[in-house]
C-alpha cells in the first residue's frame, strides 16, 4: 500500500500567506464593491528596470537564432552572471567569493527551503522568533523538528531565539548549541538589523561550536546605515561556517521572473565533507537551471544603468516605508523597522491578538497586513506591513488606518 510522508501532516494549518489570501478572497466576494489595499505579502508593484527589459528582449531574440540558442543552463549558472555577482556583491565589499562558489537558482525561497536537504535529520536547528515560515516548515517536512507543542506554539526539537522589543527585535546567542542557525538581516518580518561587530559574534560562535549559519541576505539592498553589513562574508572566518542566500526579487523586482543565488565557500566543511560538493550534487540532480533569458536579465542588474535603476526602485519602496512609519507614529502606534528594510513591525493596539487586528484592519480599513503570530509565538501581539505597495495606495492606506 502507498504511504505518504507523514511529516507533511504535522504542518500547522495552511501556509501563512495562503491563509491570508483565503481570508481576503472571502472578504472580497462578500464585499465586491470595496477596494482592498494589500500591504501584506512582500510582492513588488513597480515595473522591471528598463535595462532588464532590454536584456530580456535581446535574449529572447537570441533564442530565435540557431547559432545563439541556449538550452539547459550550466549547473551553477552561466559564468557571465556568476562573475558579475562575484565582482559586485562580494569583491567590491572586500569579500573573496569566487564565481564557482556561487549557485544560481530560481529564487531565495527555493534555496532557503531546499538547503536543509544536505544536512542530516538529527541536526538541531535554531531560528529567530518571529521568523520567515519557510525555514521552519521545510524542516518540519524533513522530520527534523520533533513534536508541535500546542501550549507554546513551538516545536520540541527547535531552538527558538526570541526577538523582542527588549532585544531590539534581533536574536541573542542561544544557550544551547545548535547545529544549523538561520539568520536573516535585514530581518523579515521585523526589519531589524545588527552591526558588523554583532554579526562577527555569531560567526565566532559558529566556528567555535561547529555550527553552520544559513544567512538570508534577501534585503541587503535596502541597508542605509553605515555599520550594517551587506554580507556575512564581511566577517572574519565566515567562509568556514556560513552559507549565504540572495534574491533578485526585492532589489530588482524579479518576483515574476524568479532568480536568486546561494553561496557556499569551498572552505566550508563539516564531518570531513565539503558542503559545496553536496549542494553541487543536489543542484545538478534536482535542478536544470534558471532560464538563459532570466540570467541575462540578472546580468543587466549589475550594469551601471541597472544599478542606477535598482537604487531608484529601492528609494521608491523606502519612501513608502518612511511614509508608513511617520503616519503610524502620528496615529499613536508603536512601530519599528522601515529604515534598513521595506517592512514595518507594529504593536497591535488595545491588546488585540495578531489575527484580531488583521480582521479589524481588513473589515474597518480594507487594508491587508500580516499577523505577527504567523511568524512564530514571539510575534503574537505584533503585525507586519510592507512598503512594496504603490505610493498612492500607501497614502490611502495610512489615511484609512488613521480614521480607525
Amino acid at each position: 500500500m502507498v504511504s505518504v510522508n507523514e511529516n507533511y501532516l504535522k504542518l500547522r494549518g495552511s501556509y501563512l500567506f495562503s491563509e491570508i489570501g483565503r481570508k481576503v478572497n472571502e472578504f472580497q466576494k462578500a464585499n465586491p464593491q470595496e477596494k482592498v489595499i494589500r500591504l501584506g505579502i512582500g510582492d513588488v508593484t513597480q515595473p522591471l528596470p528598463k535595462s532588464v527589459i532590454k536584456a530580456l528582449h535581446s535574449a529572447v531574440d537570441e533564442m530565435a537564432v540557431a547559432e545563439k540558442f541556449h538550452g539547459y543552463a550550466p549547473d551553477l549558472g552561466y559564468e557571465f552572471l556568476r562573475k558579475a555577482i562575484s565582482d559586485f556583491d562580494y569583491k567590491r565589499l572586500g569579500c573573496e567569493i569566487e564565481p564557482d562558489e556561487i549557485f544560481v537558482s530560481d529564487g531565495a525561497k527555493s534555496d532557503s527551503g531546499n538547503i536543509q536537504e544536505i544536512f542530516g535529520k538529527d541536526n538541531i536547528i535554531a531560528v529567530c522568533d518571529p521568523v520567515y515560515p519557510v525555514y521552519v516548515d521545510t524542516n518540519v517536512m524533513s522530520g527534523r523538528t520533533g513534536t508541535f507543542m500546542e501550549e507554546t506554539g513551538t516545536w520540541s526539537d527547535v531552538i527558538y531565539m526570541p526577538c523582542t522589543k527588549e532585544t531590539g527585535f534581533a536574536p541573542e546567542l542561544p544557550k544551547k548549541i545548535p547545529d544549523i542557525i538561520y539568520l536573516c538581516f535585514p530581518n523579515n518580518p521585523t526589519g531589524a538589523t545588527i552591526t558588523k561587530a554583532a554579526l562577527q559574534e555569531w560567526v565566532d560562535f559558529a566556528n567555535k561550536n561547529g555550527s553552520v549559519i544559513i544567512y538570508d541576505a534577501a534585503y541587503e539592498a535596502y541597508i542605509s546605515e553605515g555599520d550594517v553589513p551587506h554580507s556575512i562574508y564581511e566577517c572574519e572566518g565566515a567562509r568556514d561556517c556560513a552559507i549565504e542566500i540572495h534574491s533578485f526579487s526585492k532589489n530588482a523586482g524579479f518576483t515574476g521572473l524568479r532568480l536568486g543565488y546561494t553561496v557556499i565557500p569551498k572552505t566550508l566543511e563539516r564531518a570531513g565533507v565539503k558542503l559545496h560538493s553536496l549542494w553541487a550534487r543536489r543542484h545538478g540532480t534536482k535542478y536544470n537551471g534558471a532560464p538563459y533569458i532570466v540570467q541575462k536579465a540578472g546580468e543587466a542588474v549589475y550594469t551601471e544603468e541597472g544599478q542606477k535603476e535598482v537604487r531608484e526602485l529601492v528609494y521608491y519602496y523606502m519612501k513608502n516605508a518612511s511614509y508608513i512609519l511617520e503616519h503610524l507614529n502620528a496615529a499613536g502606534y508603536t512601530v519599528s523597522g522601515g529604515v534598513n528594510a521595506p517592512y514595518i513591525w507594529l504593536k497591535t493596539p488595545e491588546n488585540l491578538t495578531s489575527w484580531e487586528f488583521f480582521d479589524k484592519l481588513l473589515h474597518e480599513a480594507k487594508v491587508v497586513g500580516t499577523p505577527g503570530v504567523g511568524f512564530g509565538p514571539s510575534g503574537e501581539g505584533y503585525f507586519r506591513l510592507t512598503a512594496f505597495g504603490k505610493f498612492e495606495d500607501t497614502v490611502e492606506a495610512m489615511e484609512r488606518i488613521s480614521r480607525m
Side-chain angles (χ1 to χ4, degrees):
M1 176 180 285
V2 173
S3 62
V4 299
N5 183 345
E6 294 189 0
N7 293 314
Y8 278 67
L9 305 179
K10 298 177 182 178
L11 292 167
R12 311 308 299 171
S14 64
Y15 181 53
L16 170 63
F17 298 107
S18 299
E19 179 63 13
I20 290 171
R22 184 189 66 79
K23 281 178 168 280
V24 174
N25 288 338
E26 288 181 355
F27 177 82
Q28 292 256 244
K29 286 181 181 179
N31 303 274
Q33 76 285 356
E34 298 287 0
K35 175 187 175 183
V36 174
I37 299 176
R38 299 171 186 258
L39 301 180
I41 296 176
D43 195 3
V44 297
T45 54
Q46 294 304 293
L48 289 165
K50 292 180 180 179
S51 57
V52 168
I53 295 295
K54 182 178 178 181
L56 284 170
H57 282 296
S58 176
V60 168
D61 289 339
E62 288 184 51
M63 298 294 274
V65 180
E67 293 76 15
K68 296 182 178 181
F69 175 81
H70 289 77
Y72 292 128
D75 284 355
L76 272 67
Y78 285 100
E79 174 70 17
F80 61 76
L81 178 56
R82 289 186 288 113
K83 186 178 187 307
I85 292 169
S86 173
D87 289 345
F88 190 89
D89 287 347
Y90 293 104
K91 292 182 178 178
R92 182 177 60 92
L93 298 173
C95 308
E96 290 304 314
I97 298 297
E98 299 301 324
D100 63 357
E101 295 176 312
I102 298 165
F103 296 81
V104 176
S105 72
D106 61 353
K109 182 177 183 179
S110 297
D111 287 356
S112 296
N114 294 329
I115 194 67
Q116 49 78 30
E117 292 185 18
I118 67 173
F119 297 100
K121 289 188 178 180
D122 58 345
N123 283 298
I124 300 298
I125 69 166
V127 297
C128 296
D129 176 27
V131 68
Y132 181 44
V134 170
Y135 308 152
V136 176
D137 284 357
T138 52
N139 278 282
V140 173
M141 293 172 178
S142 296
R144 196 177 284 116
T145 56
T147 304
F148 187 75
M149 299 178 288
E150 296 284 354
E151 64 277 13
T152 60
T154 59
W155 294 90
S156 61
D157 294 348
V158 174
I159 297 172
Y160 289 84
M161 303 179 293
C163 300
T164 63
K165 183 180 179 182
E166 290 69 32
T167 67
F169 298 108
E172 296 179 333
L173 294 173
K175 294 181 174 60
K176 183 179 178 182
I177 297 173
D179 299 300
I180 302 168
I181 303 167
Y182 286 84
L183 295 178
C184 174
F185 293 110
N187 185 258
N188 176 19
T190 68
T193 56
I194 58 175
T195 64
K196 182 179 177 180
L199 186 56
Q200 183 69 56
E201 291 182 14
W202 284 94
V203 170
D204 294 343
F205 175 88
N207 279 324
K208 177 182 177 181
N209 296 296
S211 306
V212 171
I213 297 172
I214 298 174
Y215 193 79
D216 187 342
Y219 302 95
E220 67 82 22
Y222 291 84
I223 293 171
S224 62
E225 296 180 320
D227 196 28
V228 178
H230 288 257
S231 169
I232 195 169
Y233 300 119
E234 294 179 51
C235 297
E236 184 178 354
R239 284 183 54 90
D240 298 323
C241 69
I243 294 170
E244 185 164 279
I245 298 173
H246 272 256
S247 170
F248 285 76
S249 289
K250 311 304 182 181
N251 62 339
F254 277 42
T255 55
L257 284 184
R258 309 308 306 142
L259 188 66
Y261 66 86
T262 289
V263 176
I264 304 185
K266 291 185 175 180
T267 51
L268 175 50
E269 294 187 21
R270 289 297 181 269
V273 179
K274 291 184 181 293
L275 299 188
H276 182 280
S277 66
L278 293 184
W279 187 243
R281 181 55 191 269
R282 191 265 173 205
H283 213 60
T285 301
K286 290 191 172 185
Y287 186 60
N288 270 332
Y292 172 74
I293 60 174
V294 176
Q295 292 197 47
K296 288 299 288 184
E299 181 188 30
V301 169
Y302 294 103
T303 63
E304 182 177 350
E305 187 62 24
Q307 281 300 299
K308 176 177 178 291
E309 291 164 349
V310 164
R311 288 192 296 272
E312 290 171 352
L313 276 177
V314 169
Y315 174 79
Y316 180 94
Y317 293 127
M318 291 310 292
K319 178 182 176 183
N320 287 349
S322 296
Y323 193 91
I324 294 171
L325 278 175
E326 177 186 349
H327 284 76
L328 288 181
N329 273 315
Y333 288 87
T334 301
V335 293
S336 60
V339 176
N340 295 293
Y343 294 122
I344 291 82
W345 190 241
L346 64 108
K347 186 80 178 70
T348 58
E350 303 167 1
N351 293 318
L352 293 173
T353 68
S354 296
W355 279 109
E356 286 172 346
F357 185 67
F358 174 91
D359 290 333
K360 181 181 177 67
L361 200 64
L362 176 60
H363 287 84
E364 295 185 16
K366 286 74 179 179
V367 173
V368 178
T370 309
V373 71
F375 298 101
S378 290
E380 181 57 275
Y382 285 89
F383 203 78
R384 191 193 77 174
L385 293 175
T386 95
F388 285 122
K390 297 178 181 178
F391 181 70
E392 55 269 26
D393 286 342
T394 300
V395 171
E396 184 177 350
M398 291 307 102
E399 291 175 351
R400 293 182 186 185
I401 292 174
S402 67
R403 295 195 296 265
M404 285 175 52

